[in-house]
Amino acid sequence: MFRHTSRIAVAVAGAAALACTAALPATAAGHHTPAHHHVRSAVVLGPIQYDSPGRDDRSNRSLNAEWVVVKNTGRWPATLKGWTLSDKTGHSYRFGNVRLAGHSQIRVHTGVGRDGRRDLYQDRRVYIWDNDSDTATLRNDHRRIVDSQSWGRHGHWGHHH
């Protein structure tokens, strides 16, 4: 009886320790922990084209060559309504009633366009992403950071937090 009880106690203690470890936010080495802790999500940032190819002439074509990919790496669909995508200076794009199927992605362009299944448009007439140094931050509808990616002097290209 005692041996059976001690096995249960060890199993419960191990499960509790594992649960506590899983609840801790992941932070990148050398980076400070943001005020809003990351939440675990299947929806993450993918590739970012922060420097549109060619001359930066503010044409809609050039603005739309600046984009961020948002990917659903999970099996189940995700609703992005109320989520935001922002840069380090506070420019923010709020997702409307967008449903991202499992294992799919959508590209968020800076310029003006017609939203579709694969592409969304911020309808801006100025560039958002700083070519030299910036951070793209994806937040859920509760304003919690889901993913962020930095590049340039204050971060490394493709560095997720």
Side-chain angles (χ1 to χ4, degrees), residues 84-107:
T84 59
L85 177 63
S86 60
D87 71 349
K88 71 179 177 186
T89 61
H91 296 105
S92 185
Y93 169 76
R94 182 176 299 278
F95 289 84
N97 195 16
V98 175
R99 180 180 162 113
L100 195 54
H103 300 292
S104 69
Q105 64 185 32
I106 196 157
R107 191 176 284 191

Side-chain angles (χ1 to χ4, degrees), residues 37-139:
H37 296 294
H38 285 77
V39 294
R40 201 173 278 265
S41 174
V43 179
V44 296
L45 294 172
I48 297 174
Q49 178 65 47
Y50 57 85
D51 184 7
S52 62
R55 290 186 35 215
D56 289 346
D57 59 6
R58 287 194 179 183
S59 68
N60 196 51
R61 181 181 196 158
S62 178
L63 288 167
N64 282 331
E66 183 181 82
W67 45 258
V68 175
V69 170
V70 177
K71 300 188 328 183
N72 182 355
T73 62
R75 178 188 317 186
W76 310 110
T79 301
L80 303 183
K81 185 175 185 177
W83 288 42
T84 59
L85 177 63
S86 60
D87 71 349
K88 71 179 177 186
T89 61
H91 296 105
S92 185
Y93 169 76
R94 182 176 299 278
F95 289 84
N97 195 16
V98 175
R99 180 180 162 113
L100 195 54
H103 300 292
S104 69
Q105 64 185 32
I106 196 157
R107 191 176 284 191
V108 182
H109 301 271
T110 299
V112 177
R114 186 174 177 159
D115 291 346
R117 286 186 349 186
R118 296 178 194 248
D119 297 279
L120 297 173
Y121 298 86
Q122 296 187 48
D123 295 333
R124 296 184 183 271
R125 304 208 182 272
V126 294
Y127 298 98
I128 297 300
W129 309 109
D130 187 332
N131 296 349
D132 295 326
S133 172
D134 210 340
T135 299
T137 303
L138 182 65
R139 295 179 193 266

